[in-house]
């Protein structure tokens, strides 16, 4: 099945090649030049003690090309950009942490039905795979 899926992806890339969402350069959904120009975030501050964690991390500030990439993933059905975004998430992670699992934020049922996929899970899956920790998509429940 994986060989068939990979062959299908290659055929699609031949007909509809990837273009950078930032500058339009052909060959990748996020080109090296646009990634280099993204503004990294500082450590995020949490507002209260209601969380079961102390810190949170984001690879970039939510503006410019980073915002455009998120919008393409969420609202323009560009699922193929998720691996490139997940790679940047992995690069931004601190080296001195141990993870028990990667948990994507669930979508509301109506939003999932409308969109057809959970963009958070598309980002979480490659992160979990690279870090060799379980992906736990059903751990959280949206109320």
């Amino acid at each position: 099945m994986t060989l068939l899926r990979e062959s299908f992806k290659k055929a699609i890339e031949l007909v509809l090649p990837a273009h950078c969402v930032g500058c339009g350069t052909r060959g990748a959904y996020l080109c090296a030049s646009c990634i280099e120009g993204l503004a990294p975030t500082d450590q995020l501050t949490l507002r209260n003690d209601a969380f079961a964690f102390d810190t949170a991390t984001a690879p970039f500030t939510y503006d410019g090309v980073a915002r455009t990439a998120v919008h393409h993933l969420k609202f323009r059905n560009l699922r193929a950009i998720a691996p490139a975004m997940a790679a940047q998430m992995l690069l931004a992670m601190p080296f001195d942490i141990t993870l028990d699992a990667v948990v994507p934020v669930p979508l509301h049922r109506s939003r999932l039905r409308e969109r057809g996929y959970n963009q958070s899970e598309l980002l979480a899956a490659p992160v979990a795979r690279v870090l060799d920790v379980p992906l736990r998509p059903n751990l959280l429940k949206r109320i």
Side-chain angles (χ1 to χ4, degrees):
M1 185 66 164
T2 303
L3 181 60
L4 181 61
R5 181 178 292 141
E6 289 303 314
S7 298
F8 186 67
K9 281 168 125 178
K10 295 288 184 196
I12 294 227
E13 287 173 16
L14 238 127
V15 177
L16 299 168
H19 288 82
C20 177
V21 298
C23 67
T25 301
R26 190 173 171 168
Y29 293 108
L30 284 173
C31 74
S33 178
C34 285
I35 289 171
E36 189 176 304
L38 294 170
T41 59
D42 294 324
Q43 185 169 331
L44 304 173
T45 307
L46 304 175
R47 294 187 185 157
N48 60 40
D49 296 330
F51 300 105
F53 48 88
D54 299 321
T55 62
T57 268
F60 306 107
T61 58
Y62 183 63
D63 60 11
V65 174
R67 186 174 192 275
T68 301
V70 170
H71 279 246
H72 275 73
L73 175 62
K74 289 176 70 172
F75 307 120
R76 294 192 180 181
N77 198 25
L78 187 59
R79 300 176 205 192
I81 199 171
M85 294 171 70
Q88 296 308 308
M89 292 167 60
L90 282 160
L91 290 172
M93 289 185 66
F95 291 104
D96 60 345
I97 63 168
T98 303
L99 301 178
D100 297 318
V102 176
V103 183
V105 175
L107 285 177
H108 189 276
R109 281 187 313 263
S110 63
R111 179 72 69 193
L112 182 58
R113 201 170 33 253
E114 175 186 308
R115 193 171 289 153
Y117 61 95
N118 179 348
Q119 73 281 352
S120 176
E121 192 168 342
L122 291 179
L123 294 169
V127 171
R129 191 171 38 258
V130 168
L131 297 176
D132 196 26
V133 295
L135 176 66
R136 302 284 306 271
N138 299 317
L139 194 63
L140 296 177
K141 181 177 179 180
R142 181 166 296 269
I143 340 183

